[in-house]
Amino acid sequence: MATSSFFQYHIQIFLLSLLLCKIMCTSKIIQCDDKDKSTLLKFKYGITDPSGVLSLWSIKETNCCQWKGVHCDNITGRVTKLNLHCPEIYSDYGHNLDKSQCLTGELDMSCLFDLEFLSYLDLSNNDFNTIQYHGQCKNSSNNIYYLNLSDNDNLQADNILHWISNLSFLHYLDLSGINLQKETNWLQLVTMLPSLSELYLEDCRLQNIYPSLQYANFTALKVLDLSYNEFVSELPSWVFNLSSSISIVELSNNFIHGQLPQTLPHFQSLETLSLYNNDLNGLIPNWVGQLEQLKRLDLSDNSFSGSISTSLGNLSSLTYLNLAFNGLTGIVSEQNFLSLSKLNHLVLGSQYLIFDFDSEWIPPFQLQFLELTYLTSNKLPSWIYTQNSLTLLAIVNSRIPLELPNKFWKFVSDQVEYLDLSNNSINVDMSNVLLNSKVVVLGENNLRGGVPQVSPNVTLLRLANNFLSGSISSFLCHKTKEKNNLKYVDISHNLLSGEISDCWMYWRSLLYVNLESNNLVGKIPHSMSSLSNLIALNLYNNMLSGEVPLSLKNCKKLRLLNLGENEFSGAISNWVGESVIGLKLRSNQFSGNISTTICQLHSLKILDLSNNRLSGPIPSCVRNMTGMISKNESFDSFDVTIPTIDHVNFEFNINLMLLIKGIKLNYTHSILVIDLSCNNLSETLPSELFMLTGLKSLNLSHNQFVGKIPQDISKLIQLESLDLSSNLFSGQIPESMSALSFLEVLNLSCNNFEGKIPSGTQLQGFTNLSYMGNPKLCGPPLTKICPQDEKLPNEKQMKEDDDDNDNSQVRSWFYMGLGIGFATSFWAVLIAVFFNRRFRNFYFKCLDRLYDMVI
């Protein structure tokens, strides 16, 4: 026993020693290679790092294997992987990515490829603008098997594929979002990569897909993504002749036309076939139903015709099916879904399809996403109520009014997170309905009664274009135990009445409020100032009155404020927040001078104060409105993205109606506009106004401005619409206005302009309506002739009179000569005329010519 214990003891010591050795070995800090460190530092110095991602990349930090984004081999310490992908960050008010914190500058690839053992490189979603790659790739570069430069949208990458085509070990290549328009032989170059398995060239502005090419030399390709390009051609043959290893074919969002091949391609391993949003037509071939591995099929937004083959019901692996927005006809029934037990995402609908499901049918699938359009029945298919995992339900554009039983609201309240029932002519009293889905879109129906209650789960509520009536108080002032999460509310174009209740402190998460075109009265409640996250407020076209509360300035993120078509009064003061880019206050009763606080709105791009009672001059401080100075118009989008449920973000447009060029248009992006028309503004125009060189439209009509138009107006080189009509302007129209080459609409009527309209096609190309009502104005296109131009016709007339006198003398001499010579030559000529026909004709012809010359 003692011997046995002795051996057990030593075995335990031995095992413990091995364990300690392993721990010590694995915990040993790997030191990077000095050459690799030097290469990484050289790469860093060529780029700009606004967020300090590479702050630890320095000589002082000796071990580069611990630098952010750097991965080294556990044994050799050589750099094998570099991942500097910039995280996706969306702005608070837009759907565009915010790349202000991403790497930018010059991307020196030749430097990076001095890393001899580098095999993985991810620089995606940054903002590099130029790329350097000198000479042919060295042997070290052949170690690269993963290369991702996608979503560097501003990268100038000429001939990048020529360089990449030398990476013989490359398996994964993603250049999505990079402009490859100049790569005219892109397909030939990527087929030179013998190991290429995944190819992503989404949104690269490629134009040639080689439709006549029968075969492309891809030997190992599994993923092909050419979506969102500019292909305008027949469906390429080579795609359907790819090897049997291909698993994903993505050609969506192009301009590809033609029909799918009628014979079965070598697609035994195909899992995704996505061709949506093209111009494909014809029948959906039966071979699609034979793709046993197919998981995702999207043929939506094309022109496919005919019926949906029941063979699609054999795709037992299918999880996603979208055939909507085609010209498909016939009947859709349970026969189309017999074996689709794994289906979780279904989108169907066409103006010519008829849904005819057995009321007792229980599907073999449990859907998560369901979208049906153009229903032909006034009732929902009964099988919908068997779906217990439904998170998104969209029933839109029904062809007859849709009826919803009480059990429907209970059904969606329990499970559906995204509910869209827009444009169905639903006639339901919503007064006693409780909405619980995160996203509720019920616009464009016939909903009536009061505004429904919402639970704290709701983040987005759209009830626009219905017949909801009564007070909004029961909605706003309903207290809940939990915090409300509502971010978007649109109850515009209804019949709401009464005052806007002072209960906004319960809705602090709101980003967007739209109560446009109702019958609301009273003042803006002070509690609106508690909406510190508010981006857009639209109270247009109601009967609201009183002064706007100063506390509204507490909404520091407010970018769009539309109070037009109401009865607001008082001065326009510092209740406008400094972040505003669009300010629409037209058709109210605002009075007083234009406050200098307007000049502090450095981001302002849309200023509409028309049809009020404003007086005094335009303040000279308008030069501080620097948002209107840029010569290149900044298309700040009015779109806002709200994350809702997994993989679904709700993007909505904020429409701002503007009167430009005499036409009311809805804008979803900023356009540089100033409209001060129909007020009592006076004095001369400040020269600082013409420093706003980005202006597209300037309307100062129907005021009392005086003086001359400054020559500096030529600085407004982007101007497309100018209206100075019905003022007291005087003097001549400046010649410099001829430089406004983009001007499409001009109205200078009803002023005191004088003199000649400047010559040139720009100003004289407008009709006389642009200048009428200026009695002292002359020159084309007006019919009134300028005095200085009247001399030219008089001198010309005098010259013509002199010519007539000269001609008269010639004629007198001519006839006198005929008289003198007539007596002596009459008989000789008479003999020649009457006895020689040839001479007779010649003689009279000569007389005619001579007379014509004299005349």
Side-chain angles (χ1 to χ4, degrees):
M1 292 292 296
T3 304
S4 176
S5 299
F6 175 80
F7 280 110
Q8 289 179 356
Y9 170 77
H10 281 280
I11 290 174
Q12 291 175 353
I13 294 294
F14 176 72
L15 293 175
L16 181 61
S17 300
L18 289 177
L19 179 61
L20 289 174
C21 180
K22 183 176 181 180
I23 293 174
M24 292 178 65
C25 291
T26 55
S27 62
K28 179 183 178 181
I29 298 176
I30 303 169
Q31 294 293 329
C32 76
D33 182 81
D34 289 340
K35 182 180 179 182
D36 288 352
K37 177 182 177 182
S38 177
T39 300
L40 290 173
L41 289 175
K42 182 180 177 181
F43 166 73
K44 174 188 174 181
Y45 295 142
I47 62 179
T48 302
D49 180 16
S51 61
V53 173
L54 309 182
S55 58
L56 293 179
W57 288 31
S58 66
I59 297 177
K60 295 180 181 180
E61 297 292 335
T62 57
N63 189 1
C64 67
C65 292
Q66 295 183 335
W67 292 355
K68 186 170 183 177
V70 178
H71 299 266
C72 298
D73 184 270
N74 290 334
I75 298 175
T76 65
R78 301 303 297 266
V79 175
T80 59
K81 181 178 179 180
L82 187 59
N83 186 353
L84 297 176
H85 165 82
C86 185
E88 294 183 353
I89 301 175
Y90 290 90
S91 62
D92 290 337
Y93 50 83
H95 67 281
N96 293 325
L97 288 173
D98 180 5
K99 294 193 175 184
S100 60
Q101 302 301 308
C102 297
L103 301 177
T104 185
E106 181 179 89
L107 177 55
D108 191 348
M109 296 300 294
S110 58
C111 173
L112 282 180
F113 280 1
D114 283 339
L115 300 171
E116 299 177 29
F117 294 91
L118 186 67
S119 59
Y120 182 105
L121 179 59
D122 188 348
L123 301 175
S124 60
N125 200 44
N126 281 288
D127 198 23
F128 293 111
N129 45 52
T130 58
I131 186 170
Q132 294 291 335
Y133 29 79
H134 304 291
Q136 296 294 323
C137 296
K138 299 179 181 180
N139 290 333
S140 59
S141 66
N142 285 334
N143 291 318
I144 291 286
Y145 74 86
Y146 182 101
L147 178 61
N148 190 347
L149 304 178
S150 64
D151 298 319
N152 282 273
D153 302 329
N154 298 314
L155 185 62
Q156 301 295 320
D158 296 345
N159 299 316
I160 187 173
L161 288 179
H162 286 79
W163 160 72
I164 290 177
S165 64
N166 294 289
L167 304 177
S168 57
F169 287 98
L170 196 64
H171 285 68
Y172 181 105
L173 175 61
D174 192 346
L175 301 179
S176 299
I178 298 177
N179 187 351
L180 302 180
Q181 194 171 24
K182 295 182 180 179
E183 300 280 0
T184 55
N185 60 338
W186 66 270
L187 183 57
Q188 177 185 355
L189 293 171
V190 295
T191 54
M192 295 172 63
L193 300 169
S195 303
L196 191 63
S197 174
E198 299 184 40
L199 176 62
Y200 301 90
L201 298 179
E202 176 187 346
D203 192 21
C204 291
R205 300 183 64 180
L206 296 171
Q207 296 180 339
N208 187 1
I209 199 172
Y210 306 92
S212 59
L213 185 67
Q214 292 296 314
Y215 296 95
N217 190 26
F218 289 112
T219 58
L221 196 64
K222 294 183 178 179
V223 177
L224 175 65
D225 187 350
L226 299 176
S227 58
Y228 290 89
N229 279 288
E230 300 172 6
F231 301 130
V232 184
S233 70
E234 292 275 346
L235 195 63
S237 300
W238 61 267
V239 170
F240 291 90
N241 287 326
L242 291 171
S243 67
S244 58
S245 62
I246 190 73
S247 62
I248 296 177
V249 173
E250 174 64 83
L251 297 178
S252 59
N253 282 285
N254 282 286
F255 305 93
I256 301 173
H257 54 269
Q259 300 184 6
L260 294 176
Q262 295 303 309
T263 56
L264 177 63
H266 302 291
F267 280 175
Q268 288 88 344
S269 302
L270 193 67
E271 297 181 359
T272 295
L273 178 60
S274 183
L275 304 175
Y276 71 88
N277 198 18
N278 279 286
D279 298 316
L280 299 171
N281 55 48
L283 303 176
I284 299 176
N286 288 329
W287 58 257
V288 176
Q290 301 177 36
L291 302 175
E292 297 179 355
Q293 304 300 318
L294 196 64
K295 296 180 180 179
R296 182 183 181 94
L297 176 62
D298 194 342
L299 304 180
S300 61
D301 288 280
N302 280 282
S303 299
F304 288 111
S305 57
S307 60
I308 300 176
S309 173
T310 55
S311 65
L312 294 183
N314 298 325
L315 298 173
S316 57
S317 299
L318 200 65
T319 61
Y320 181 106
L321 176 61
N322 189 346
L323 303 178
F325 303 107
N326 280 285
L328 298 171
T329 59
I331 295 176
V332 176
S333 70
E334 59 273 10
Q335 298 299 318
N336 297 96
F337 304 95
L338 292 179
S339 299
L340 305 187
S341 58
K342 296 182 180 179
L343 193 67
N344 58 41
H345 192 134
L346 175 62
V347 184
L348 277 179
S350 166
Q351 295 188 34
Y352 312 105
L353 275 179
I354 298 176
F355 294 99
D356 185 17
F357 296 99
D358 189 320
S359 59
E360 302 296 325
W361 179 57
I362 298 178
F365 49 73
Q366 282 291 320
L367 297 177
Q368 292 180 336
F369 290 67
L370 173 61
E371 180 176 343
L372 300 177
T373 60
Y374 302 109
L375 287 182
T376 54
S377 171
N378 62 350
K379 296 182 180 180
L380 294 178
S382 58
W383 61 262
I384 290 180
Y385 295 101
T386 70
Q387 302 300 295
N388 301 319
S389 303
L390 207 59
T391 57
L392 183 149
L393 176 61
I395 310 291
V396 298
N397 299 327
S398 293
R399 281 176 274 180
I400 58 177
L402 191 62
E403 297 180 2
L404 298 177
N406 291 333
K407 72 173 184 177
F408 172 80
W409 300 108
K410 177 68 168 59
F411 171 75
V412 297
S413 177
D414 290 342
Q415 60 174 311
V416 176
E417 297 186 13
Y418 185 118
L419 176 65
D420 186 354
L421 299 177
S422 55
N423 198 24
N424 288 304
S425 300
I426 300 173
N427 187 349
V428 174
D429 188 335
M430 301 296 291
S431 302
N432 297 317
V433 173
L434 174 64
L435 301 173
N436 190 45
S437 303
K438 286 187 177 180
V439 174
V440 180
V441 182
L442 301 177
E444 293 74 42
N445 282 290
N446 296 324
L447 302 180
R448 51 189 168 79
V451 179
Q453 299 296 317
V454 297
S455 77
N457 292 330
V458 180
T459 60
L460 186 147
L461 176 64
R462 187 176 188 277
L463 300 170
N465 295 291
N466 281 287
F467 297 96
L468 299 174
S469 59
S471 173
I472 198 174
S473 298
S474 59
F475 169 76
L476 286 178
C477 300
H478 178 70
K479 294 182 180 180
T480 58
K481 295 181 180 180
E482 301 178 43
K483 174 186 173 183
N484 285 309
N485 293 297
L486 193 65
K487 296 182 178 181
Y488 173 108
V489 59
D490 184 353
I491 321 179
S492 62
H493 298 275
N494 277 279
L495 304 174
L496 300 178
S497 58
E499 295 186 351
I500 302 177
S501 305
D502 198 11
C503 296
W504 294 93
M505 70 287 292
Y506 304 134
W507 308 91
R508 297 179 185 273
S509 298
L510 278 170
L511 302 175
Y512 176 82
V513 174
N514 188 355
L515 301 177
E516 175 185 338
S517 296
N518 280 283
N519 300 313
L520 299 171
V521 298
K523 298 181 179 181
I524 295 178
H526 287 280
S527 61
M528 268 198 166
S529 62
S530 63
L531 305 180
S532 58
N533 295 310
L534 195 64
I535 295 170
L537 174 61
N538 185 358
L539 301 178
Y540 181 80
N541 191 26
N542 281 281
M543 295 180 286
L544 300 168
S545 59
E547 296 187 2
V548 179
L550 292 175
S551 58
L552 192 64
K553 191 174 183 178
N554 294 333
C555 301
K556 297 183 182 299
K557 295 182 180 180
L558 193 64
R559 292 172 61 80
L560 292 171
L561 178 60
N562 188 353
L563 305 181
E565 300 286 347
N566 280 284
E567 299 175 10
F568 291 113
S569 58
I572 301 174
S573 61
N574 57 357
W575 42 261
V576 183
E578 295 182 3
S579 298
V580 168
I581 63 171
L583 180 62
K584 184 175 179 179
L585 305 178
R586 69 177 297 124
S587 300
N588 280 283
Q589 299 180 32
F590 290 112
S591 58
N593 292 351
I594 297 178
S595 173
T596 55
T597 57
I598 294 291
C599 303
Q600 299 173 15
L601 306 180
H602 304 301
S603 301
L604 193 64
K605 297 180 185 297
I606 297 171
L607 177 62
D608 186 353
L609 307 181
S610 62
N611 198 20
N612 279 284
R613 299 178 180 180
L614 301 173
S615 58
I618 297 176
S620 59
C621 63
V622 291
R623 65 180 180 274
N624 295 328
M625 293 158 50
T626 53
M628 295 188 177
I629 291 179
S630 174
K631 292 183 179 180
N632 297 318
E633 180 184 343
S634 175
F635 285 91
D636 284 344
S637 172
F638 294 165
D639 293 353
V640 176
T641 297
I642 294 180
T644 52
I645 58 179
D646 292 342
H647 309 297
V648 176
N649 289 333
F650 189 90
E651 295 183 3
F652 60 89
N653 301 113
I654 304 176
N655 293 323
L656 194 60
M657 182 178 288
L658 300 173
L659 181 62
I660 298 178
K661 304 178 187 179
I663 303 173
K664 286 186 177 181
L665 296 173
N666 278 317
Y667 286 85
T668 58
H669 64 269
S670 62
I671 178 172
L672 309 187
V673 174
I674 291 180
D675 189 346
L676 304 178
S677 62
C678 301
N679 281 284
N680 296 315
L681 300 172
S682 57
E683 301 189 23
T684 58
L685 300 182
S687 59
E688 291 83 357
L689 177 64
F690 304 104
M691 297 173 63
L692 307 181
T693 53
L695 274 177
K696 294 280 189 179
S697 177
L698 176 62
N699 189 348
L700 305 178
S701 65
H702 297 275
N703 281 286
Q704 300 178 38
F705 291 114
V706 298
K708 298 181 178 180
I709 300 177
Q711 292 284 345
D712 285 348
I713 195 171
S714 61
K715 294 180 180 179
L716 304 182
I717 57 175
Q718 302 292 321
L719 208 60
E720 297 177 5
S721 178
L722 175 64
D723 192 346
L724 303 179
S725 64
S726 299
N727 279 284
L728 301 173
F729 289 115
S730 58
Q732 294 188 338
I733 298 173
E735 291 277 352
S736 62
M737 283 186 63
S738 298
L740 302 178
S741 56
F742 291 106
L743 202 60
E744 298 178 6
V745 174
L746 175 66
N747 192 350
L748 303 179
S749 64
C750 301
N751 279 284
N752 296 319
F753 292 116
E754 60 185 42
K756 184 179 181 179
I757 296 174
S759 58
T761 57
Q762 185 58 31
L763 296 182
Q764 292 183 344
F766 296 103
T767 68
N768 61 340
L769 297 177
S770 296
Y771 305 101
M772 64 185 299
N774 292 277
K776 297 182 180 180
L777 205 57
C778 60
L782 297 177
T783 56
K784 181 179 179 180
I785 300 174
C786 297
Q788 63 268 33
D789 293 336
E790 291 178 353
K791 296 179 181 179
L792 291 176
N794 291 338
E795 292 175 356
K796 183 177 181 181
Q797 185 64 41
M798 292 174 61
K799 185 177 185 303
E800 291 177 352
D801 291 345
D802 290 342
D803 291 343
D804 288 343
N805 291 334
D806 293 341
N807 292 338
S808 177
Q809 293 178 5
V810 171
R811 285 194 295 271
S812 298
W813 284 105
F814 171 70
Y815 291 117
M816 185 181 295
L818 289 178
I820 294 174
F822 181 77
T824 57
S825 60
F826 174 74
W827 293 106
V829 172
L830 187 63
I831 294 172
V833 169
F834 284 98
F835 288 92
N836 189 321
R837 178 184 296 176
R838 183 177 180 184
F839 181 77
R840 180 172 72 236
N841 293 335
F842 175 75
Y843 176 74
F844 283 111
K845 286 180 179 180
C846 287
L847 284 179
D848 290 337
R849 289 179 183 174
L850 181 61
Y851 183 79
D852 290 338
M853 290 173 63
V854 174
I855 295 299

